[in-house]
Amino acid sequence: MDVVLANAKDVKNITERKTDESDAEWLMLLHQDGLLKASFQPHNDAKRMKTFTRHRDPLSREASSIVLRMQKAMQ
C-alpha cells in the first residue's frame, strides 16, 4: 500500500463530494491515476533545524528588548 500525504488545497474545490466516504473514494481514484500530488516532507535534520530556528527567533527578540530596558534604566 502506497500512502501519500496530500495537500487539501489541491482537492478542496471538487464539487459533489458530500460525505467522508465519497471523499475518500475520490482521493483513492485520484491517487490511482497519479493525479494526487504528494506534499513535501523534509528529513529529520531539516525539521530539527527549523524547530531550533523558530525557537531562537523569539528569544533573540526578547533579549534585545531586555538590553534596551537595561540601557534605559542606566540612563
Side-chain angles (χ1 to χ4, degrees):
M1 179 180 287
D2 185 26
V3 179
V4 174
L5 178 65
N7 191 350
K9 288 182 188 178
D10 295 341
V11 292
K12 80 172 192 175
N13 291 328
I14 311 245
T15 58
E16 301 176 15
R17 309 285 179 246
K18 302 295 182 190
T19 64
D20 289 342
E21 292 85 12
S22 62
D23 283 342
E25 188 175 331
W26 177 248
L27 291 172
M28 180 194 66
L29 291 173
L30 285 175
H31 181 59
Q32 281 179 346
D33 294 336
L35 299 174
L36 193 60
K37 185 175 75 171
S39 294
F40 173 71
Q41 290 287 52
H43 296 292
N44 287 335
D45 293 336
K47 287 181 188 177
R48 196 174 304 122
M49 182 60 80
K50 192 176 190 180
T51 302
F52 287 145
T53 305
R54 285 182 176 175
H55 182 65
R56 185 191 67 186
D57 190 40
L59 292 178
S60 64
R61 276 195 224 120
E62 184 181 350
S64 64
S65 69
I66 290 172
V67 168
L68 288 174
R69 275 190 260 150
M70 287 172 35
Q71 289 174 347
K72 188 175 181 179
M74 286 182 187
Q75 289 176 354

